[in-house]
Amino acid sequence: MIKYIARYGAMRIIGLFTWNGEGTLFHGTKVIVHTSRGQEAATILCEASEAALKFIKAEMEEDRVLRLMTPNDEKELRQMKIVAKDEFIRCKRIVDNMKIVMDLVRVERIFGGERVIIYYVAEGRIDFRELVKVLAAEFQTRIEMKQIGVRDETKLLADIGDCGREVCCNSWLVSMPPVSMRMAKLQKATLDPTKISGRCGRLKCCLRYEYDAYHEILKILPAVGKMVLTPDGIGRVIAQELLAKKVQVELLDHSRKMYGAEDIQPAPKNQIPPQRDFNENADPENAGDPEQESELE
């Protein structure tokens, strides 16, 4: 008995599945699994090793692999994709006729036919009890209504991002990371909303990827305004270059030099000169407080 991590469903859900069959399943192997939603087509990602499970860091549903995907299964899956557009049109027509205010995003029919999942975006909650009855009669199966946000909508519909690659949420991201404008400022990214916003209209998830590295570097560099002792004497930090792990220091003669974190240390209190000996023109955009920067908006 071997456990594998597999991806299934329109929302690219990650699950943990037990395989009791013969042979080893490899990355990309197409299988039929059993989940709480019914029988579904899935793709094996990797064996559920301790390292893999630690890397994913997400709660996963545990179930079993029923069988390898057969030619008949593949044929049925292709047929489901062909009729998916027709099912979406039928569902949208019903929603419009009932004058329900919602944006239909996708209609997903579970492979085993146990249910149809309707993904939609709407402001606030909607009473769709009557709609479910009509849809159940239309599709002759159980109906599940699932309200999603704009990021999940992008996960279902988007394809290519500004970087030229598949959008992360529709390719490998397991969960949406929290992203704040503070992360863009810390990385000195442009603050133009049109350039740091993703297909969903929210801040790009990739702003989160390098934030931890920037934040760790920020901890070892003195903050802007701090007095430091350099090989050339005492000076005040006026700017930080995080990726280079350096700071720009204004010395007593008003000259400015770059120093690495290993070349400076806090200035002894009894040697710190009056602040008036320095120019009041430190770069405020380079200021950084590790405690403040760690807060997420």
Side-chain angles (χ1 to χ4, degrees), residues 173-192:
L173 272 183
V174 178
S175 59
M176 304 296 187
V179 185
S180 71
M181 185 61 77
R182 185 176 285 113
M183 295 176 180
K185 292 179 180 178
L186 179 61
Q187 297 174 53
K188 294 188 178 180
T190 174
L191 300 184
D192 184 347

Side-chain angles (χ1 to χ4, degrees), residues 11-222:
M11 293 295 291
R12 304 177 68 82
I13 305 168
I14 301 294
L16 188 63
F17 300 94
T18 300
W19 169 241
N20 292 317
E22 298 180 356
T24 302
L25 304 181
F26 299 99
H27 173 78
T29 302
K30 305 296 183 181
V31 294
I32 302 299
V33 299
H34 183 274
T35 73
S36 60
R37 308 194 306 178
Q39 290 188 29
E40 304 199 49
T43 302
I44 296 296
L45 298 181
C46 63
E47 188 174 333
S49 64
E50 185 176 342
L53 293 173
K54 184 178 180 180
F55 177 77
I56 291 178
K57 296 180 181 178
E59 293 185 5
M60 296 184 292
E61 177 182 355
E62 293 193 35
D63 219 305
R64 63 190 187 280
V65 176
L66 299 178
R67 63 180 184 275
L68 296 176
M69 190 176 289
T70 65
N72 286 336
D73 292 329
E74 293 178 355
K75 182 179 179 181
E76 182 179 347
L77 194 58
R78 287 195 298 269
Q79 185 62 29
M80 287 174 59
K81 291 180 179 179
I82 292 174
V83 302
K85 292 183 179 179
D86 177 65
E87 291 180 334
F88 181 88
I89 293 172
R90 289 158 57 191
C91 184
K92 191 173 188 312
R93 183 177 65 249
I94 292 172
V95 170
D96 292 342
N97 290 340
M98 297 182 68
K99 294 181 170 49
I100 299 177
V101 183
M102 68 166 65
D103 291 327
L104 200 61
V105 177
R106 184 161 180 173
V107 176
E108 177 188 16
R109 181 179 286 274
I110 300 304
F111 181 81
E114 289 89 344
R115 72 182 69 190
V116 168
I117 303 176
I118 312 295
Y119 297 95
Y120 69 95
V121 175
E123 294 185 9
R125 301 187 63 179
I126 294 178
D127 184 358
F128 45 69
R129 287 174 292 183
E130 191 62 32
L131 173 63
V132 168
K133 293 178 183 178
V134 176
L135 291 175
E138 177 74 17
F139 293 109
Q140 293 296 305
T141 188
R142 180 180 176 184
I143 301 297
E144 179 180 332
M145 303 295 296
K146 192 171 184 63
Q147 185 172 3
I148 59 176
V150 291
R151 284 201 171 195
D152 286 325
E153 181 182 13
T154 301
K155 185 173 184 176
L156 286 171
L157 301 179
D159 43 17
I160 305 300
D162 295 340
C163 58
R165 299 177 63 88
E166 284 184 285
V167 290
C168 298
C169 58
N170 196 21
S171 55
W172 63 272
L173 272 183
V174 178
S175 59
M176 304 296 187
V179 185
S180 71
M181 185 61 77
R182 185 176 285 113
M183 295 176 180
K185 292 179 180 178
L186 179 61
Q187 297 174 53
K188 294 188 178 180
T190 174
L191 300 184
D192 184 347
T194 62
K195 295 183 179 180
I196 58 176
S197 299
R199 294 288 297 275
C200 59
R202 304 290 180 83
L203 291 174
K204 290 180 178 179
C205 293
C206 51
L207 289 172
R208 185 69 178 83
Y209 302 159
E210 297 179 2
Y211 175 73
D212 291 339
Y214 276 87
H215 193 256
E216 288 303 312
I217 296 173
L218 192 64
K219 291 180 179 178
I220 66 174
L221 294 179

